[in-house]
Amino acid sequence: MTSRKVPRPPDDESALFREAIGAVRELPAAPAPVSRPRPEPRPRMAERDERQALGEFHRLLEEGPLEAADSLRYRRDEVSPRLLRRLARGHYAVQDELDLHHADAAQAETWLRRFIAEARASGYGCVRIVHGKGLHADGAPALKNLVDRLLRQRADVLAFHSAPAAQGGTGAVLVLLRAR
């Protein structure tokens, strides 16, 4: 019987690799890649809100103030035109009401902000705001224009439309609120 000698694996495989490769020369160090500065983060949502507010401002400038007989109407992009038509016809049950008659503009603004916040906290979906037609005002109806401007600015207001004649007509507005 002849015994063959089986080569024993070395304990250090990296030494075996270096022995098999032989002499190597080191490459010159490569310069570090030029890193371009990262772009500044953009506040896209704020830019969108700014564009929307600017568009709303320009719309108000072009149209001028609302008159006594003008109908209020507004809907956010995510709200369908069909929903706004249903609101205009009074198909939604009014869950609470705020009457702004005999309030000055500062009081009306405070009451309106508080009313919307409380209605939303109570889980109401549809409310009515009676602002009056402004027939006794000199010039444009101040409360009607105030209500229009404030409701458009609120993120929790999905849509609003002047009430049907039986619910106040152009002297009141029905408001759909975003769910909590």
Side-chain angles (χ1 to χ4, degrees):
M1 264 199 189
T2 60
S3 70
R4 284 197 304 172
K5 227 175 182 188
V6 178
R8 217 176 99 214
D11 292 335
D12 186 12
E13 289 184 9
S14 61
L16 178 63
F17 177 75
R18 280 195 293 289
E19 184 180 306
I21 296 296
V24 294
R25 65 180 170 85
E26 192 174 324
L27 292 176
V34 177
S35 65
R36 286 184 279 176
R38 296 187 90 160
E40 289 291 319
R42 289 181 43 218
R44 290 188 182 136
M45 295 296 282
E47 289 171 357
R48 187 198 70 190
D49 291 346
E50 190 69 31
R51 279 192 310 274
Q52 186 178 9
L54 189 60
E56 202 57 40
F57 177 72
H58 286 295
R59 184 197 65 78
L60 290 173
L61 283 179
E62 291 167 4
E63 291 181 7
L66 294 165
E67 297 298 324
D70 290 345
S71 180
L72 297 178
R73 72 176 56 95
Y74 173 79
R75 72 176 175 86
R76 295 212 176 272
D77 291 337
E78 68 258 24
V79 174
S80 71
R82 181 174 180 256
L83 187 136
L84 187 64
R85 283 191 303 272
R86 289 177 47 90
L87 182 64
R89 293 181 188 134
H91 290 187
Y92 294 94
V94 173
Q95 297 168 299
D96 202 359
E97 179 177 285
L98 172 67
D99 190 347
L100 297 175
H101 278 106
H102 308 294
D104 63 23
Q107 284 176 323
E109 184 174 350
T110 303
W111 293 351
L112 181 59
R113 290 181 192 277
R114 186 178 309 133
F115 174 73
I116 296 292
E118 289 173 0
R120 188 141 182 262
S122 298
Y124 296 155
C126 182
V127 295
R128 179 176 34 240
I129 300 166
V130 179
H131 48 72
K133 294 183 181 183
L135 297 176
H136 305 292
D138 297 331
L143 292 181
K144 185 174 193 171
N145 283 287
L146 173 80
V147 168
D148 181 54
R149 181 177 50 84
L150 283 176
L151 292 179
R152 288 173 189 269
Q153 293 173 354
R154 294 193 60 102
D156 50 3
V157 171
L158 292 174
F160 60 86
H161 200 288
S162 288
Q167 296 183 30
T170 57
V173 63
L174 299 177
V175 181
L176 280 183
L177 299 174
R178 189 179 304 274
R180 278 192 298 160

